[in-house]
Amino acid sequence: MSEHKDDGRMAETATIEPSVNEGRRRFLAGSAALGAAGMAGVAGVTGTGTLVRSQSAQAASESGDASIHVAPGQLDSYYGFWSSGQTGEVRVFGVPSMRELTRIPVFNRCSATGWGQTNESLAVLGENAKWQNGDLHHIHMSYTDGKYDGRYLYMNDKANTRVARVRLDIMRCDKMVHIPNAHGIHGLRVQKAPKTGYVFANGEMIVPLPNDGRDLDDPSQYWSVFTGIDGESMEIKWQVWVDGNLDNTNCDYSGRFAISTCYNAERGVVLAEKMRLERDWVVVFDIPAIERAVENGDYVTFGDSDIPVVDGRGEDNPFTRYIPVPKNPHGINASPDGNYLIANGKLSPTCTVIDARKLPDLFDDKIELRDVVAAEPELGLGPLHTTFDGRGNAYTTLFIDSQVVKWNVAEAIRHYAGDDVSYIRQKLDVHYQPGHLNASLAETAEADGRWLVVLSKFSKDRFLPSGPLHPENDQLVDISGDEMKLVHDGPTFAEPHDCILCRPDQVSPAKIYDRDDPYWSQARQWAEEDDITLETDSKVVRHGNRVRVYLTAVAPQYSMSEFRVRQGDEVTVIVTNLDKIEDLSHGFSIINYGINMEVNPQQTSSVTFTADRAGVYWYYCSWFCHALHMEMAGRMLVDPA
């Protein structure tokens, strides 16, 4: 192994645009106007649905500033998609109200929806069903020409080395893949242009390759890998063998390069070993060069995996370049104009501004590694992540200082070149120890500089005590003017790690399912085998000790008030919701069998279990659907063996 050394428009104060209200939403909007005056004088009552409002937010409301107020019946200006850390789900918020809209189970078991239990979810999980926990760190949307296109969300599981995809039309996970050779997927990003082709995933921890028991006590043989996944098929296309521990990753706006921060240049396995050198790296990956090598067969494979792995270690290879940067860089963020990539120092008070336009020259060996560095502004203690407002300003979290610093990229570059200019615009106290942050549309070419979300790791004295495990603190900051203004605190559980914000017109969620949706293709196949029409037939079909029960649901009843099986039977219950009214979801739960699943309008859901106990077991609708909801039930009669 070779050793490596050494925009121009201003946004007005953000306001909420009127939304188009239909049906009961129009009624609610009208009644909200009458109720607003009555609530105006009640301290702390704003009608936004937020959990906690900071004093500055309260003052803004009382002064008549409506920029953070979303009245009952009105809609938010942005979707926010939050990772959830150790709970393994995606959380969906409205911004600026910060109202939680839904949760999308991914790497977790969900007793509300049946995720991890239904046949449909088990088909997505595949071999991954053996893990019932997950650490969902990063979440990113698919792109077309550098803009969000609303097709998919992609996310990683650090705990179990997985990458998953969520379909945004139904907001349900539809693909999941375990990554061989890697150990703990941390950084994850998707190709921005011309259209999301690859999803890139960093293997963080170094391990032997293959990790099958060899070289346990020889850390000199420990490595990490960078993985390219096809965003459409979710098939792993290739991997790159690299030096050090890969941390966060990003992509340029040309589609050619991916860029990862990389710590532990020493390749140590204990803390002291990882801290010997003064610098680590930003690793740049040349995607076309990797593709050519794979096409030409210039790769190796490890163990039982047939994934092509190209050797990107050291200085003398066509696939990677290792740019020396200050110790232990963390986040890597691309400016909306596509010109710069900013590596955040973590253990250095600086960020490193890399000129993305010079990366081709780096791979053509026309310039030296550090020639791509345009600036290294000193910002404060513990810079972790940076975001942008589309007006030339960057915003960086300072973990140790508990601040967000606003700074001007162009002036930082001038200062680095020797001009006596001040690039820092403002520092704002946040509460406390901020990690990720993201501004509205800041990870696209359409950054609009209206809202900034700061995900603070500690909350300490901000909320009512809730035991030794304190909540995290999501904070909303107005960045539409010259100064940052903190307008909202929101406690949240179990360390949300990252988030993105997009406009509602960039996402088109379905209101009810399409009956031709492939999500329940297995149930369709069973129905074909049993000469059943899912939408019209109710029947118990026996195949030896395997039983299929076909039900339909129309509020307030199931199509069969009872079905009979034998003790020891493997039972599959297939339920189709025939209601066509949006919001009219049903559930199917069997008492004392641990069975519960969602069945949304026009959806088919199924679950398989063993009827291991004789007796009467009621099944019922678990989603309140009708005035006679409590009566929507039936009996599973289990005859003794």
Side-chain angles (χ1 to χ4, degrees):
M1 180 189 75
S2 300
E3 185 175 353
H4 304 281
K5 303 176 181 178
D6 256 274
D7 155 312
R9 58 185 174 84
M10 291 293 293
E12 298 178 357
T13 300
T15 57
I16 303 301
E17 300 297 330
S19 63
V20 176
N21 298 299
E22 297 295 338
R24 64 177 179 177
R25 189 173 298 283
R26 183 184 293 113
F27 171 76
L28 288 171
S31 61
L34 296 175
M39 292 195 299
V42 181
V45 179
T46 63
T48 64
T50 54
L51 296 177
V52 174
R53 303 291 299 282
S54 68
Q55 290 181 349
S56 57
Q58 182 63 37
S61 295
E62 292 173 353
S63 69
D65 181 358
S67 64
I68 59 172
H69 179 77
V70 182
Q74 296 295 306
L75 305 182
D76 280 285
S77 299
Y78 298 89
Y79 278 107
F81 294 97
W82 261 245
S83 62
S84 66
Q86 299 92 325
T87 63
E89 65 196 4
V90 173
R91 297 173 187 165
V92 187
F93 285 78
V95 176
S97 76
M98 302 298 283
R99 298 182 289 214
E100 184 176 298
L101 304 177
T102 191
R103 299 185 179 191
I104 306 170
V106 182
F107 301 121
N108 57 318
R109 280 287 296 267
C110 178
S111 63
T113 63
W115 182 261
Q117 180 182 77
T118 64
N119 293 308
E120 290 71 33
S121 62
L122 292 173
V124 173
L125 289 163
E127 65 173 8
N128 295 288
K130 63 186 176 184
W131 293 299
Q132 296 185 14
N133 73 308
D135 189 5
L136 198 158
H137 268 221
H138 298 104
I139 182 167
H140 295 286
M141 190 181 290
S142 53
Y143 291 80
T144 298
D145 295 328
K147 303 173 184 178
Y148 290 142
D149 62 21
R151 294 180 299 130
Y152 301 114
L153 289 175
Y154 302 92
M155 62 286 308
N156 69 298
D157 174 14
K158 181 174 177 178
N160 299 301
T161 315
R162 295 179 287 181
V163 172
R165 183 179 78 184
V166 164
R167 275 176 51 189
L168 279 171
D169 60 339
I170 59 172
M171 295 206 181
R172 286 292 177 265
C173 179
D174 77 323
K175 295 283 186 180
M176 190 176 297
V177 60
H178 185 260
I179 312 298
N181 301 322
H183 199 70
I185 296 299
H186 184 224
L188 177 135
R189 292 281 178 155
V190 299
Q191 212 168 21
K192 294 184 173 76
K195 190 171 184 175
T196 293
Y198 287 112
V199 179
F200 299 116
N202 281 346
E204 182 181 358
M205 309 302 182
I206 54 175
V207 291
L209 292 177
N211 190 20
D212 59 1
R214 69 187 71 189
D215 300 321
L216 297 178
D217 300 311
D218 185 4
S220 69
Q221 298 303 311
Y222 289 13
W223 310 96
S224 61
V225 294
F226 178 77
T227 302
I229 305 163
D230 186 305
E232 291 293 333
S233 66
M234 291 295 285
E235 296 176 355
I236 302 169
K237 305 304 288 185
W238 43 257
Q239 294 180 317
V240 184
W241 191 357
V242 298
D243 296 331
N245 292 48
L246 295 173
D247 194 344
N248 281 278
T249 191
N250 212 315
C251 310
D252 73 339
Y253 278 84
S254 76
R256 176 177 173 181
F257 300 108
I259 306 94
S260 296
T261 50
C262 186
Y263 69 95
N264 191 23
E266 306 87 346
R267 292 183 31 246
V269 294
V270 297
L271 182 61
E273 294 172 349
K274 297 175 183 179
M275 304 303 294
R276 286 186 292 107
L277 301 180
E278 293 183 358
R279 291 192 177 233
D280 283 299
W281 305 304
V282 167
V283 187
V284 185
F285 299 89
D286 188 342
I287 307 307
I290 297 166
E291 292 174 325
R292 287 192 296 270
V294 171
E295 185 177 349
N296 294 334
D298 298 331
Y299 61 82
V300 297
T301 61
F302 291 107
D304 296 332
S305 170
D306 60 357
I307 304 301
V309 183
V310 303
D311 193 347
R313 298 172 296 168
E315 296 174 347
D316 188 21
N317 75 81
F319 314 118
T320 61
R321 294 293 183 269
Y322 291 77
I323 302 169
V325 297
K327 189 69 183 161
N328 288 73
H330 188 56
I332 180 80
N333 304 98
S335 62
D337 59 12
N339 292 336
Y340 302 105
L341 294 145
I342 296 176
N344 300 267
K346 193 169 78 172
L347 297 189
S348 167
T350 62
C351 284
T352 301
V353 181
I354 295 170
D355 193 330
R357 296 164 295 186
K358 293 184 177 180
L359 295 180
D361 290 341
L362 192 61
F363 278 86
D364 291 338
D365 296 323
K366 294 179 179 179
I367 57 176
E368 298 298 319
L369 291 170
R370 287 281 297 177
D371 289 344
V372 300
V373 175
E376 280 190 325
E378 185 172 328
L379 302 175
L381 298 181
L384 291 187
H385 296 277
T386 295
T387 191
F388 308 90
D389 62 12
R391 303 189 294 271
N393 300 309
Y395 302 76
T396 300
T397 50
L398 303 177
F399 182 81
I400 297 174
D401 285 341
S402 286
Q403 291 181 321
V404 171
V405 54
K406 175 181 179 180
W407 55 283
N408 185 270
V409 177
E411 292 186 2
I413 293 170
R414 287 178 55 200
H415 184 273
Y416 190 72
D419 289 352
D420 185 16
V421 294
S422 176
Y423 47 82
I424 292 181
R425 295 287 184 263
Q426 182 190 359
K427 290 189 175 182
L428 178 71
D429 291 340
V430 292
H431 308 89
Y432 305 89
Q433 277 67 52
H436 276 270
L437 80 171
N438 215 325
S440 47
L441 297 169
E443 294 185 359
T444 77
E446 298 184 301
D448 63 10
R450 293 183 70 181
W451 298 107
L452 173 69
V453 174
V454 183
L455 306 182
S456 298
K457 299 299 183 183
F458 296 177
S459 63
K460 296 182 182 177
D461 53 4
R462 302 293 284 186
F463 310 114
L464 287 173
S466 56
L469 178 61
H470 292 258
E472 311 294 324
N473 188 6
D474 292 347
Q475 297 191 293
L476 183 68
V477 179
D478 182 349
I479 60 170
S480 61
D482 291 336
E483 292 188 358
M484 296 182 283
K485 297 179 181 179
L486 177 62
V487 296
H488 166 80
D489 275 6
T492 189
F493 177 67
E495 205 194 23
H497 203 79
D498 195 6
C499 70
I500 64 169
L501 275 64
C502 71
R503 297 190 311 268
D505 64 274
Q506 294 173 310
V507 183
S508 299
K511 295 183 178 180
I512 63 173
Y513 273 89
D514 185 333
R515 283 300 301 155
D516 293 327
D517 197 296
Y519 216 78
W520 50 86
S521 57
Q522 178 64 72
R524 239 184 243 107
Q525 182 179 330
W526 288 328
E528 185 175 344
E529 292 172 1
D530 293 336
D531 195 24
I532 292 290
T533 301
L534 291 175
E535 294 82 2
T536 59
D537 293 338
S538 300
K539 194 173 182 181
V540 177
V541 180
R542 177 172 289 279
H543 299 272
N545 68 341
R546 292 186 298 110
V547 179
R548 294 175 188 154
V549 180
Y550 295 91
L551 292 170
T552 61
V554 177
Q557 62 184 349
Y558 296 108
S559 55
M560 289 195 294
S561 59
E562 66 179 50
F563 63 85
R564 189 175 228 101
V565 296
R566 300 171 190 155
Q567 185 178 5
D569 281 346
E570 179 190 273
V571 181
T572 298
V573 178
I574 303 154
V575 183
T576 298
N577 182 346
L578 297 181
D579 283 305
K580 296 182 179 180
I581 300 171
E582 65 179 279
D583 240 5
L584 213 170
S585 294
H586 295 303
F588 181 83
S589 182
I590 304 179
I591 294 174
N592 291 339
Y593 264 87
I595 300 297
N596 188 64
M597 63 182 179
E598 65 176 354
V599 198
N600 294 302
Q602 295 293 293
Q603 180 183 10
T604 294
S605 296
S606 65
V607 64
T608 299
F609 59 96
T610 299
D612 58 355
R613 282 154 292 140
V616 174
Y617 297 92
W618 284 88
Y619 54 89
Y620 67 94
C621 178
S622 52
W623 292 79
F624 208 105
C625 60
H626 191 274
L628 293 175
H629 164 75
M630 303 300 293
E631 287 76 14
M632 188 170 175
R635 293 175 299 155
M636 178 176 73
L637 308 176
V638 183
D639 290 321

